Amino acid sequence: MTVRVTSWQRVEGRKARESAAIPGDRVSAPEERDLLHASGMFRRQVWIALAVLGLSSPGFAQVFTNISRSGSPRTRDPGGVQGSLNTTSPIGRRDCEGEEWTFTINYSANPGGMTTTSLQYFIGADAMACAMANARAPVTSGTPRCWPIRQTPSLTFTNPTTPLSYTVRIQSRYLIDPEGGNCVTPGTTQGTSNTNYLAVLAFPPSDSNVIGTYPISYDVTPPDAPTDVVAGPGEGVAVVSWTYPGSLSTTADGGTTTAAPPDLQGYWLLCDPPPGSAATDGGLSDASAVLDGDEEGGDGTGGTCGSSALSTIDPNDSEAFARYRCSDLIGATATRGVAQGLTNGRGYRMAVVAQDLAGNRSTISVAGNCVTPVPITDFWEAYRAAGGQARPGACGVGVGRVGGAGAWIGVALGVALWARRRRTR
């Protein structure tokens, strides 16, 4: 492909010649010619390198423009990524399953050149991996560093005498694994977390025929699963605690600080049966719990929970995950959270799932104990039930000279009366 000299290049060449001809300059005529020749060679090398990398420079348009991605289930997560994902964000496991990237390809054809041009799409291990034909799969020896994208066929143009601009759509799975589209174990040497380079090659397949590359970051490695999951009861809620094995510990000034790893986004809580479900719904074989003690005085950790569906759920299954989810996304530094929307008197099995910044989810960690939310009677509920009339925060009761002290004496008498009635029941 021939590179035409632009007006910008001609001006730069003239400036170089004028600069070399300044009176008093000690550069001789032969040295001037050598200097101009070296300068021209350097500029041509820079322009070719920029064209290969798909970068913009005077006289060259960017090969890839209007880049966008759509279709990721992550954009529908409550408290997660909102709207469309940034093109610099890594492709995660759930993005890979259903997302698509759109690129506008700009190709400056060579007037009077080849009558037919075919553009092909490859994924390289680095920005220059696809420039050498002997690095493109399949290779006769060694390990390939560049692979053809099987999902996207090559495009053939006849008599490409004018610049071309067209749109190509590529599924995320083929930007990660160009040959097999495997979102779990990509079949390339790049592994499950790296940066691939989308490359557009011009036919015929010879060396240095890459017209542009674009970096694609990806991470389909799930985070570690939380451990030591324990659930406790509340009124219509459950309090769940856990530890995270991937946390980083730092010791300074005689103390130890534990922090979540930088790629962790947070945690989700799951509960079985699902929040708001009927008594016969959910995955528990025995959804109705038997409380230890009376309904108001039980500790909420008794009862029975049958086999749970939580241990069989695929955390990347958006529909199943949404059904059993009973919290919004909890921050990465948390070690406990509250599950909402539970029913008092029902036995629940609780679980925790970790999620990283690429949207990958860990395996589900299920609590070993069954928890039963219970009604909680606080001081003021008990006081009013005993006939008390004071309000929380009141500084005085009645009229005249009765002040704050009299009010609290009345509260104390009310509590004593309530306690006496409880004992005589």
Short mmCIF file of all heavy atoms in Angstrom, two decimals, residues 40 67 72 74 77 95 131 134 176 182 192 206 210 270 331 341 364 370 380 389 407 417:
data_model
loop_
_atom_site.label_atom_id
_atom_site.label_comp_id
_atom_site.label_asym_id
_atom_site.label_seq_id
_atom_site.Cartn_x
_atom_site.Cartn_y
_atom_site.Cartn_z
N GLY A 40 14.14 12.57 6.38
CA GLY A 40 13.01 12.01 5.63
C GLY A 40 12.78 10.55 5.97
O GLY A 40 11.65 10.10 6.13
N ILE A 67 -16.10 3.55 18.71
CA ILE A 67 -16.07 2.24 19.38
C ILE A 67 -17.10 2.23 20.50
O ILE A 67 -17.19 3.16 21.30
CB ILE A 67 -14.67 1.96 19.94
CG1 ILE A 67 -13.63 2.08 18.82
CG2 ILE A 67 -14.59 0.59 20.60
CD1 ILE A 67 -12.21 2.14 19.32
N SER A 72 -24.29 -6.16 27.75
CA SER A 72 -23.81 -6.80 28.96
C SER A 72 -24.89 -6.83 30.03
O SER A 72 -25.52 -5.80 30.30
CB SER A 72 -22.57 -6.08 29.51
OG SER A 72 -22.24 -6.58 30.79
N ARG A 74 -24.37 -6.84 33.04
CA ARG A 74 -23.86 -6.04 34.16
C ARG A 74 -24.53 -4.67 34.25
O ARG A 74 -24.64 -4.09 35.32
CB ARG A 74 -22.36 -5.84 34.04
CG ARG A 74 -21.55 -6.97 34.59
CD ARG A 74 -20.20 -6.45 35.05
NE ARG A 74 -19.30 -6.16 33.97
CZ ARG A 74 -18.23 -5.38 34.08
NH1 ARG A 74 -17.97 -4.78 35.21
NH2 ARG A 74 -17.42 -5.18 33.05
N ASP A 77 -27.42 -4.62 36.72
CA ASP A 77 -27.21 -4.95 38.14
C ASP A 77 -27.62 -3.77 39.02
O ASP A 77 -27.20 -2.64 38.76
CB ASP A 77 -25.74 -5.27 38.40
CG ASP A 77 -25.32 -6.63 37.89
OD1 ASP A 77 -26.21 -7.41 37.51
OD2 ASP A 77 -24.11 -6.91 37.86
N ASP A 95 -19.90 -10.32 30.68
CA ASP A 95 -19.87 -9.54 29.44
C ASP A 95 -19.63 -10.47 28.26
O ASP A 95 -20.28 -10.36 27.21
CB ASP A 95 -18.74 -8.50 29.47
CG ASP A 95 -18.81 -7.59 30.68
OD1 ASP A 95 -19.93 -7.32 31.15
OD2 ASP A 95 -17.75 -7.16 31.15
N ALA A 131 2.02 -8.43 12.96
CA ALA A 131 2.75 -7.85 11.85
C ALA A 131 3.59 -8.88 11.11
O ALA A 131 3.87 -8.72 9.92
CB ALA A 131 3.64 -6.71 12.35
N ASN A 134 4.75 -15.22 10.22
CA ASN A 134 5.12 -16.49 10.86
C ASN A 134 4.66 -16.56 12.32
O ASN A 134 4.88 -17.57 12.98
CB ASN A 134 6.62 -16.73 10.77
CG ASN A 134 7.44 -15.64 11.47
OD1 ASN A 134 6.89 -14.75 12.09
ND2 ASN A 134 8.76 -15.72 11.33
N ILE A 176 -11.90 -12.21 23.21
CA ILE A 176 -11.13 -12.92 24.24
C ILE A 176 -10.49 -14.18 23.69
O ILE A 176 -9.31 -14.44 23.87
CB ILE A 176 -12.04 -13.26 25.44
CG1 ILE A 176 -12.49 -11.98 26.14
CG2 ILE A 176 -11.33 -14.18 26.43
CD1 ILE A 176 -13.46 -12.22 27.28
N ASN A 182 -14.50 -19.14 23.78
CA ASN A 182 -14.71 -19.73 25.10
C ASN A 182 -14.53 -18.66 26.18
O ASN A 182 -13.45 -18.09 26.32
CB ASN A 182 -13.73 -20.88 25.33
CG ASN A 182 -14.06 -21.71 26.55
OD1 ASN A 182 -14.46 -21.19 27.58
ND2 ASN A 182 -13.90 -23.03 26.42
N THR A 192 -6.56 -16.29 31.32
CA THR A 192 -7.90 -15.80 31.64
C THR A 192 -7.92 -14.32 32.01
O THR A 192 -8.99 -13.78 32.30
CB THR A 192 -8.51 -16.62 32.80
OG1 THR A 192 -7.64 -16.53 33.93
CG2 THR A 192 -8.68 -18.08 32.41
N SER A 206 1.05 -10.99 4.04
CA SER A 206 2.51 -10.93 4.11
C SER A 206 2.90 -10.16 5.36
O SER A 206 2.05 -9.73 6.14
CB SER A 206 3.06 -10.23 2.86
OG SER A 206 2.51 -8.92 2.76
N VAL A 210 -0.36 -4.84 8.60
CA VAL A 210 -1.36 -4.46 9.58
C VAL A 210 -1.69 -2.98 9.39
O VAL A 210 -0.79 -2.13 9.40
CB VAL A 210 -0.84 -4.69 11.02
CG1 VAL A 210 -1.86 -4.26 12.04
CG2 VAL A 210 -0.47 -6.15 11.23
N LEU A 270 -27.52 -13.64 49.26
CA LEU A 270 -28.60 -14.45 48.71
C LEU A 270 -29.33 -15.13 49.85
O LEU A 270 -28.73 -15.42 50.90
CB LEU A 270 -28.04 -15.51 47.75
CG LEU A 270 -27.16 -15.03 46.59
CD1 LEU A 270 -26.72 -16.21 45.74
CD2 LEU A 270 -27.87 -14.00 45.75
N GLY A 331 -20.29 -2.84 49.81
CA GLY A 331 -18.93 -2.37 49.51
C GLY A 331 -17.84 -3.39 49.76
O GLY A 331 -17.99 -4.31 50.59
N GLY A 341 -36.21 -7.91 53.37
CA GLY A 341 -37.42 -8.50 52.79
C GLY A 341 -37.74 -9.90 53.25
O GLY A 341 -38.43 -10.64 52.55
N ILE A 364 -20.69 -19.51 45.30
CA ILE A 364 -21.59 -19.09 46.37
C ILE A 364 -21.19 -19.75 47.68
O ILE A 364 -21.07 -20.97 47.75
CB ILE A 364 -23.04 -19.43 46.00
CG1 ILE A 364 -23.43 -18.65 44.74
CG2 ILE A 364 -23.99 -19.11 47.15
CD1 ILE A 364 -24.80 -19.00 44.20
N CYS A 370 -29.01 -22.23 60.06
CA CYS A 370 -30.31 -21.77 59.61
C CYS A 370 -30.71 -20.58 60.47
O CYS A 370 -30.49 -20.59 61.69
CB CYS A 370 -31.33 -22.90 59.75
SG CYS A 370 -33.01 -22.46 59.27
N TRP A 380 -39.72 1.05 74.08
CA TRP A 380 -40.90 1.92 73.95
C TRP A 380 -42.13 1.12 73.57
O TRP A 380 -43.25 1.47 73.99
CB TRP A 380 -40.60 3.02 72.93
CG TRP A 380 -39.63 4.02 73.47
CD1 TRP A 380 -38.32 4.15 73.14
CD2 TRP A 380 -39.89 4.99 74.48
NE1 TRP A 380 -37.74 5.13 73.87
CE2 TRP A 380 -38.67 5.69 74.71
CE3 TRP A 380 -41.02 5.33 75.23
CZ2 TRP A 380 -38.56 6.70 75.63
CZ3 TRP A 380 -40.91 6.36 76.15
CH2 TRP A 380 -39.69 7.04 76.35
N GLN A 389 -47.54 6.77 78.49
CA GLN A 389 -47.97 7.83 77.58
C GLN A 389 -46.83 8.73 77.11
O GLN A 389 -47.02 9.53 76.20
CB GLN A 389 -49.03 8.69 78.27
CG GLN A 389 -50.28 7.93 78.69
CD GLN A 389 -51.00 7.33 77.50
OE1 GLN A 389 -51.16 7.99 76.48
NE2 GLN A 389 -51.42 6.07 77.63
N ALA A 407 -40.78 13.83 84.46
CA ALA A 407 -41.11 12.98 83.30
C ALA A 407 -40.40 11.65 83.39
O ALA A 407 -41.00 10.58 83.16
CB ALA A 407 -40.72 13.70 82.00
N LEU A 417 -44.34 -0.83 86.39
CA LEU A 417 -45.69 -1.40 86.28
C LEU A 417 -45.76 -2.46 85.21
O LEU A 417 -46.35 -3.53 85.40
CB LEU A 417 -46.69 -0.26 85.98
CG LEU A 417 -48.15 -0.69 85.74
CD1 LEU A 417 -48.72 -1.37 86.98
CD2 LEU A 417 -48.99 0.53 85.35
#
